[in-house]
Amino acid sequence: MELGITGKRALVLGASRGLGRAIAEGLAAEGAQVFAAARSTDKIADWSADMPNVTPMALDLTDHASISALAETLLADGGVDILVTNSGGPAPGPAATTERAAWITQFEAMAANIFDLSAQLLPGMRERGWGRIICITSSGVEQPIPNLALSNGIRSAVVGWAKTLASEVASDGVTVNVVLPGRIHTDRVDELDAAAAKRTGKPVDEVKTASAASIPMGRYGKPSEFADMVVFLASERASYVTGSRVRIDGGSIRS
Ligand SMILES: NC(=O)c1ccc[n+]([C@@H]2O[C@H](COP(=O)([O-])OP(=O)(O)OC[C@H]3O[C@@H](n4cnc5c(N)ncnc54)[C@H](OP(=O)(O)O)[C@@H]3O)[C@@H](O)[C@H]2O)c1
């Protein structure tokens, strides 16, 4: 299938590793001009060393000045056609005791700054009559994950924002969709499994086996399997898909 995104300009956030990196690689493989953003631009430069259509961009989502600087640089050069929003995962914790300051700090990094960056990049998409915004959230927006109050709460705000935006820009040829990873095998998931092993005193292999067994497919997803769906949503072929929540979870969500 020809995806029709050769030469499209794509900005992928959180692209130094994990899901963001896999998406940036997938878009680049389809011929897009990819701007891969994160704090660790050295890591992006490493994985993209032999990919001339990938440009590392510095971005700190906790710093609004960094958002404005990135938008300014990209707009001066023609804007972007495809925006994939992504961020680091917040610290775990219960809803009952998560402090106000943590809500505010994380909301800024995972939601408000992403909304603002999108608002700055949207006018160009609307004028050109073509655009794609894809937001990485979590299965927790449909089935809240215990002890991840910040993630469940703030990502649900992203879903509400994206659905509202999708209706506003649909007639301009801009689609807005949300993707829900279940358990995709990234460095972060390895770190979470190692932390769970330490907390419970169980061997990490036992933790991983139990976690995989809870997924109907019986395994974690591969970053490339996740990226394939995002690249499709970013493509010309997905022109009639908007305002949707797409699960990429091996059947994990039980509703
Ligand atoms: N993997 C899964 O199965 C899964 C499931 C549900 C939800 N999620 C969520 O999906 C997102 C991506 O997952 P992942 O597994 O790929 O996580 P990851 O391996 O930790 O990658 C996170 C990415 O975000 C970047 N990042 C972190 N803080 C940032 C900041 N302040 N400014 C700019 N970039 C920042 C990191 O780069 P730098 O550190 O270089 O900035 C990195 O590239 C996370 O929010 C995660 O919680 C993942």
Side-chain angles (χ1 to χ4, degrees), residues 5 10 22-34 47 51 53-54 231:
I5 51 172
I23 293 162
E25 288 176 321
L27 290 167
E30 293 299 327
Q33 178 65 43
V34 177
W47 67 250
M51 305 177 87
N53 54 338
V54 176
V231 172

Side-chain angles (χ1 to χ4, degrees), residues 13-21 37-44 59-63 66 86-90 109-110 136-140 145 151 155 180-189 191-192 226:
L13 310 186
S16 65
R17 68 177 200 170
L19 303 181
R21 171 183 167 173
R39 292 169 301 183
S40 319
T41 46
D42 53 334
K43 287 190 195 161
I44 301 170
L59 173 69
D60 182 351
L61 283 162
T62 65
D63 175 12
S66 172
N86 180 30
S87 63
M110 296 174 63
I136 298 179
T137 61
S138 166
S139 60
I145 302 168
S151 174
R155 294 186 205 278
L180 283 55
R183 197 94 174 150
I184 313 294
H185 194 185
T186 63
D187 291 338
R188 173 176 158 82
V189 163
E191 289 159 11
L192 292 172
F226 184 83

Side-chain angles (χ1 to χ4, degrees), residues 32-226:
Q33 178 65 43
V34 177
F35 300 92
R39 292 169 301 183
S40 319
T41 46
D42 53 334
K43 287 190 195 161
I44 301 170
D46 283 349
W47 67 250
S48 66
D50 57 359
M51 305 177 87
N53 54 338
V54 176
T55 308
M57 307 293 288
L59 173 69
D60 182 351
L61 283 162
T62 65
D63 175 12
H64 187 251
S66 172
I67 295 281
S68 301
L70 179 66
E72 200 175 313
T73 304
L74 290 167
L75 289 170
D77 197 25
V80 301
D81 307 297
I82 297 164
L83 169 64
V84 179
T85 75
N86 180 30
S87 63
T97 55
T98 297
E99 291 184 0
R100 182 176 181 277
W103 282 108
I104 291 170
T105 304
Q106 284 301 329
F107 187 84
E108 193 168 10
M110 296 174 63
N113 283 344
I114 280 174
F115 302 164
D116 185 51
L117 179 62
S118 306
Q120 295 191 54
L121 298 175
L122 256 169
M125 294 184 195
R126 299 178 85 173
E127 277 161 27
R128 290 187 291 276
W130 199 98
R132 301 283 184 266
I133 297 178
I134 300 137
C135 307
I136 298 179
T137 61
S138 166
S139 60
V141 303
E142 290 196 351
Q143 184 172 291
I145 302 168
N147 205 42
L148 285 186
L150 286 169
S151 174
N152 298 333
I154 296 169
R155 294 186 205 278
S156 294
V158 173
V159 173
W161 166 82
K163 184 67 181 166
T164 309
L165 180 64
S167 298
E168 293 171 5
V169 299
S171 62
D172 296 325
V174 179
T175 68
V176 185
N177 292 291
V178 172
V179 285
L180 283 55
R183 197 94 174 150
I184 313 294
H185 194 185
T186 63
D187 291 338
R188 173 176 158 82
V189 163
D190 279 340
E191 289 159 11
L192 292 172
D193 286 343
K198 197 170 170 194
R199 199 171 57 246
T200 58
K202 291 181 182 161
V204 72
D205 283 351
E206 198 178 308
V207 169
K208 281 183 183 297
T209 302
S211 178
S214 71
I215 301 167
M217 281 203 178
R219 65 175 178 85
Y220 293 174
K222 298 179 210 159
S224 62
E225 290 177 301
F226 184 83

